[in-house]
Amino acid sequence: MSKGLKAEKEKCTGCQLCMLVCSGTHVSKFNPSESRINVEDKFPEPGEFKLNYCLQCDEHPCVESCPVEAIVFDEGLGIYVVDKEKCTACGACVEACPYEGCWLDPSGTYSIKCDLCGGTPQCVEICPKGVLKR
Amino acid sequence: MADGYTGKVLRVDLTSEKIATEPINREWAKRFIGGKGLGARYLFEELKPGVDPLSSDNVLMIWTGPLVGTMVPLTSRYVVITKSPQTGTFLDSYAGGYFGPELKYAGFDGVIIKGKASKPVYLWIKDGKPEIRDAKNLWGKDNFKTEALIRKETGESHARVASTGPAGEKLSLIAGVTSDLTRNAGRGGGGAVFGSKNLKAIACRGTMGVEVPNIDEFVKMSKEMLLKDVVENPDHAGSITDGTPIIVDMSQNAAILPTRDWSSGEFEGSAEINSDAIKTRVLVRRKACMGCGLACGSWSKARKGMFKGASTEGPEYETIGLSGSNCGIKSIEAIIKFAEECDKLGLDTMSAGSVTAFAMDLYERKILTKKDTGGLDLKFGNEEAFAKMPAMIASREHIGDALADGSKRAARKIGKGAEKLVIESKGSEYPAYDPRGSIGMALAYATSDRGADHNRAWPVAQDAYGSGDPWNPDGKAAICVEDNTRTSVKWSFIFCDFYAVSFKNMAKYYTAVTGAPADEESLRSIGKRVWNLTRAFNAREGFTRKDDNLPERMEKEPLQSGKTKGKAVPRADFEKMLSEYYKLWNWDDQGRPTKQTLQEAGLGDIVGKLPYLK
Ligand code: SF4
Ligand code: SF4
């Protein structure tokens, strides 16, 4: 069973509060492009929201793809997280992930990937429509 | 400085192609916050009085506010500020969606545009770096294609775009500014000002974020407020379950739903165009603006019939009232098609619906014929003809040429008694609340700073939709004054209309974001300052009491059925409300702020710039 976030995307309204709170808590400013979850508005067609975030998938090809072993297992959370210090922003994980689960931060210095806020994901707490679950 | 503002304003001269970044006027930001107030102060300073709004001398601005782009709920808005080509007044027209926050993430609180480009251009802003780009390939394209093309050309799939459609290019005075496909700064003709400057769009992409003091506390407060003051606030129940279409039934019950060009307040087809019709027939999903926990919007799609496949966000109450019942249209699908066309072509759905209803009325009265309509049988309720009207208006073909300038100018051009039938104030078509069943709305429309409007004062909430007496003129002026004050503050932050936010909580947000103290009293004085400023702007342009008008039909043509049977707006009551309103604001008998009033409102610095005070 994967340990990542789960989403019922049909309920999503595109408010991006998840992105605002994620950036607010991770990088101390409101900056959706630095959020670990990304909600894309796809209108007029297909007329839906696409939610991108790390699923913590069982295969985790991102881990194997990383040439400097920057994606490390967090024993406490039981998930793979990016070690910002080790990451060289080569983008191999971004290529490897089949789910658009990680990406480089806008300044291109490290790979962004959901870390479940250390156990209490802020996006899950804030989502006003109950889209996100841990 | 982490205080919500980016601290920067972008200044563009399209004639000389000069672009400069300058610091925001901090003193004005303290006195006017942002949005409406700050924009009004800049416009008052930078626009010469008497300028033709479609000339290169007009100033076009986009403003945000200190909370825009933060986590504070329902503040993701921007405002287009300019001199309105439709009304000749101050114009502030707002849109939600994602564009406002993106402009701030791209580094700017506001953009000030002057001059006129020699050929079509658009303004591209990426992370603090502005650029004027060629828009040859965009000219003539609809708003949806424009967004897609700009994203392709810049390689930024997340770029946000505020553009004018073909209607604005053709200088239609009812052309708005469209962003995020379906979000419109619709009213007042801002799209025509874009067009007159050869400016197709302002597009931006920002990854710089917005900073606030004490972010951890700020996040905590925002989360609490989102839950307690937004999601669980009983005043927001209707916005969560239905959005504005919930008002259709309320207006129908109060018999103030504009029907067949204001000839009735009840529409026999209201059940085909109300919120239930949307929910059961066309709703795809609910849609929010950035940072909003309500999601009042509905993404809707026509699933069958002649308009199968048409989609829009909404339609909203104003669109339903003015282009639905007012055109005798009994099909929510037809209204969706009309709204989709308006969004693509860049027409304000309110005015486009109103002028279509007006043209239908003239057609039924045989003032217009098939010769004028390009062969369309423009009877009330003819869905096929109705759906073709936005294209006819935007392209200025046939009668569309006259209608593109709004119903007041169209009536003058058409003549044959059409002038007496128009429902407008200062040239702006009435919103969808018939004052004959809520006479305070006649005052609200007449005294709105941008021409007939429901977002400056909304007394109908307290009578036709509440328990007050809709026909007693007493107390209506006081309601309008209070609403003017409150909305002036809300539109300066910029909060969404649907946030029933108290002065106390606005003060709390203000302090959280700027670090400066605020309370109800300090915000009220800002509200009064802003409302006096826009009134002074209009007075400087020559507006006086006679312009705070009541359309003749509201006075002389009583409604025929239901709760409003036999009701009109007596002229004497209207004048009484108006005099009382001026008195409450301490304005002169022409409705102009006096020297003393301006000084008390903290506007002493503009007194010397008002010829009527000399
Ligand atoms: S980033 Fe992608 S590949 Fe890696 S664990 Fe998450 S979902 Fe799997
Ligand atoms: S907070 Fe919830 S509803 Fe809003 S964008 Fe995120 S997942 Fe969607």
Side-chain angles (χ1 to χ4, degrees):
Chain A
M1 219 350 232
S2 98
K3 292 208 165 124
L5 294 173
K6 286 160 202 67
E8 279 180 82
K9 74 170 181 131
E10 280 308 305
K11 286 203 240 161
C12 177
T13 62
C15 72
Q16 298 196 358
L17 275 161
C18 49
M19 296 166 73
L20 288 165
V21 78
C22 181
S23 58
T25 47
H26 280 87
V27 297
S28 296
K29 55 180 165 177
F30 297 112
N31 193 13
S33 58
E34 289 188 77
S35 166
R36 274 83 181 131
I37 176 168
N38 185 26
V39 180
E40 286 182 73
D41 44 307
K42 302 272 192 192
F43 292 85
E45 292 299 339
E48 60 187 31
F49 296 100
K50 187 165 181 292
L51 279 75
N52 302 326
Y53 56 88
C54 169
L55 309 176
Q56 295 295 340
C57 66
D58 293 335
E59 302 77 28
H60 47 70
C62 60
V63 177
E64 280 70 45
S65 78
C66 179
V68 294
E69 293 179 23
I71 304 181
V72 295
F73 191 68
D74 181 311
E75 296 285 348
L77 294 168
I79 60 167
Y80 283 94
V81 296
V82 175
D83 182 339
K84 226 173 124 176
E85 303 307 315
K86 281 196 202 158
C87 176
T88 60
C90 71
C93 56
V94 180
E95 288 286 318
C97 175
Y99 308 109
E100 295 181 62
C102 58
W103 48 86
L104 296 185
D105 88 310
S107 58
T109 43
Y110 66 102
S111 170
I112 294 185
K113 183 162 114 61
C114 173
D115 60 2
L116 297 177
C117 299
T120 35
Q122 292 298 300
C123 55
V124 173
E125 267 188 23
I126 199 141
C127 177
K129 302 296 172 186
V131 174
L132 301 167
K133 298 252 156 29
R134 165 102 206 250
Chain B
M1 206 154 97
D3 62 356
Y5 297 96
T6 68
K8 293 199 178 75
V9 178
L10 181 61
R11 194 176 277 281
V12 180
D13 185 331
L14 290 172
T15 309
S16 63
E17 297 187 16
K18 266 229 225 53
I19 308 186
T21 296
E22 65 184 40
I24 194 172
N25 186 322
R26 289 274 169 195
E27 195 241 317
W28 286 353
K30 280 201 189 89
R31 283 165 61 205
F32 299 96
I33 307 176
K36 175 173 190 147
L38 188 59
R41 187 62 189 87
Y42 270 91
L43 191 72
F44 188 92
E45 194 73 16
E46 308 215 0
L47 185 78
K48 277 194 262 81
V51 157
D52 171 0
L54 293 182
S55 74
S56 62
D57 290 335
N58 197 2
V59 182
L60 171 68
M61 304 185 181
I62 304 273
W63 284 98
T64 62
L67 295 172
V68 176
T70 72
M71 231 180 87
V72 169
L74 289 100
T75 70
S76 71
R77 300 172 77 73
Y78 71 94
V79 56
V80 176
I81 288 186
T82 189
K83 178 173 168 180
S84 164
Q86 188 186 23
T87 62
T89 63
F90 168 77
L91 173 65
D92 53 335
S93 198
Y94 304 78
Y98 306 98
F99 180 86
E102 196 72 28
L103 180 63
K104 283 187 73 182
Y105 303 147
F108 296 101
D109 293 314
V111 182
I112 303 174
I113 299 170
K114 296 185 176 177
K116 177 182 177 173
S118 56
K119 55 177 182 12
V121 296
Y122 73 100
L123 183 63
W124 168 242
I125 308 166
K126 169 81 199 284
D127 283 338
K129 288 187 214 76
E131 194 186 329
I132 297 173
R133 298 178 76 141
D134 185 35
K136 195 168 65 208
N137 298 332
L138 305 176
W139 207 251
K141 299 284 190 304
D142 73 39
N143 285 315
F144 289 22
K145 289 198 186 102
T146 299
E147 185 189 86
L149 284 167
I150 288 178
R151 286 178 172 176
K152 208 169 143 200
E153 192 182 304
T154 58
E156 292 284 354
S157 58
H158 290 76
R160 300 296 181 183
V161 178
S163 57
T164 186
E169 292 174 16
K170 289 234 151 84
L171 307 182
S172 163
L173 304 185
I174 58 170
V177 177
T178 304
S179 42
D180 304 303
L181 309 179
T182 49
R183 292 275 160 187
N184 292 283
R187 305 235 76 196
V193 178
F194 268 61
S196 72
K197 295 190 174 306
N198 265 331
L199 178 66
K200 180 65 181 174
I202 301 172
C204 52
R205 170 64 180 150
T207 65
M208 306 200 300
V210 170
E211 290 183 67
V212 300
N214 205 344
I215 181 107
D216 296 341
E217 276 301 308
F218 196 95
V219 167
K220 203 168 139 237
M221 175 219 43
S222 303
K223 273 164 76 174
E224 259 172 42
M225 294 297 273
L226 175 75
L227 192 68
K228 298 215 177 81
D229 205 43
V230 174
V231 177
E232 289 174 359
N233 185 339
D235 288 343
H236 298 151
S239 290
I240 293 178
T241 55
D242 297 73
T244 60
I246 201 170
I247 305 172
V248 174
D249 287 349
M250 289 158 62
S251 290
Q252 172 76 357
N253 291 338
I256 58 166
L257 183 66
T259 300
R260 284 182 287 271
D261 197 31
W262 304 92
S263 66
S264 170
E266 290 187 311
F267 182 46
E268 70 283 3
S270 72
E272 305 297 319
I273 59 172
N274 65 5
S275 188
D276 280 348
I278 293 179
K279 289 202 270 193
T280 55
R281 296 222 301 260
V282 293
L283 178 66
V284 178
R285 68 183 70 256
R286 301 304 297 272
K287 207 165 174 292
C289 293
M290 192 160 186
C292 172
L294 303 179
C296 76
S298 302
W299 186 257
S300 309
K301 194 169 201 157
R303 296 202 168 96
K304 50 181 188 249
M306 180 168 24
F307 306 111
K308 191 175 166 184
S311 53
T312 195
E313 187 172 349
E316 300 296 343
Y317 170 69
E318 299 296 335
T319 309
I320 297 172
L322 296 169
S323 78
S325 48
N326 212 26
C327 293
I329 296 295
K330 293 178 192 163
S331 148
I332 196 71
E333 287 84 0
I335 300 172
I336 289 174
K337 180 68 184 175
F338 189 90
E340 183 190 62
E341 286 285 292
C342 286
D343 287 347
K344 284 184 176 170
L345 299 166
L347 287 166
D348 169 27
T349 55
M350 292 176 65
S351 285
S354 300
V355 297
T356 299
F358 184 55
M360 287 173 155
D361 197 356
L362 298 179
Y363 182 81
E364 300 245 359
R365 291 173 197 255
K366 308 213 161 36
I367 296 175
L368 292 178
T369 67
K370 278 196 182 165
K371 260 214 222 120
D372 304 296
T373 64
L376 291 186
D377 186 22
L378 204 57
K379 283 201 293 261
F380 284 121
N382 181 345
E383 292 169 24
E384 209 178 334
F386 161 77
K388 289 188 173 137
M389 289 309 289
M392 194 188 287
I393 296 167
S395 61
R396 286 186 174 274
E397 274 162 20
H398 312 295
I399 193 62
D401 187 29
L403 300 177
D405 290 331
S407 46
K408 187 178 177 186
R409 283 178 176 80
R412 259 193 233 143
K413 211 165 181 178
I414 294 163
K416 301 179 197 159
E419 300 96 317
K420 290 199 173 299
L421 300 172
V422 191
I423 306 294
E424 54 74 37
S425 183
K426 297 184 184 65
S428 174
E429 290 80 11
Y430 263 24
Y433 315 86
D434 195 317
R436 288 168 291 184
S438 175
I439 65 168
M441 290 309 292
L443 180 68
Y445 296 156
T447 57
S448 154
D449 49 5
R450 67 174 187 186
D453 192 84
H454 58 296
N455 286 325
R456 307 295 175 272
W458 208 50
V460 64
Q462 300 188 31
D463 47 55
Y465 300 156
S467 53
D469 179 349
W471 297 285
N472 184 348
D474 295 340
K476 298 297 191 274
I479 294 173
C480 287
V481 169
E482 173 66 15
D483 281 2
N484 296 158
T485 308
R486 188 172 35 81
T487 58
S488 291
V489 179
K490 276 177 85 174
W491 309 160
S492 295
F493 268 104
I494 308 167
F495 279 108
C496 171
D497 195 14
F498 306 128
Y499 189 177
V501 60
S502 64
F503 275 106
K504 198 174 124 243
N505 285 335
M506 285 197 277
K508 184 170 167 172
Y509 289 129
Y510 184 82
T511 300
V513 76
T514 62
D519 56 20
E520 169 155 359
E521 205 190 312
S522 70
L523 290 186
R524 277 184 178 278
S525 30
I526 290 177
K528 289 179 185 155
R529 185 173 305 143
V530 172
W531 194 252
N532 272 293
L533 175 59
T534 58
R535 190 76 186 187
F537 178 98
N538 290 344
R540 188 175 66 169
E541 294 290 339
F543 286 86
T544 56
R545 182 173 185 130
K546 68 175 185 331
D547 300 299
D548 291 347
N549 62 309
L550 176 72
E552 201 176 300
R553 286 175 64 201
M554 291 295 125
E555 179 192 349
K556 298 196 170 144
E557 195 183 294
L559 286 166
Q560 302 296 328
S561 66
K563 285 187 190 149
T564 53
K565 189 170 180 182
K567 299 290 187 186
V569 183
R571 169 65 56 181
D573 286 351
F574 177 76
E575 297 297 339
K576 182 176 180 250
M577 291 190 296
L578 194 58
S579 297
E580 199 184 321
Y581 176 84
Y582 291 170
K583 221 165 140 194
L584 286 174
W585 273 116
N586 278 320
W587 294 343
D588 68 14
D589 59 359
Q590 286 301 313
R592 298 173 303 201
T594 63
K595 191 170 161 190
Q596 193 200 347
T597 305
L598 292 170
Q599 274 160 349
E600 280 169 11
L603 290 167
D605 54 333
I606 69 163
V607 167
K609 292 170 180 156
L610 295 166
Y612 73 87
L613 288 176
K614 285 190 180 131

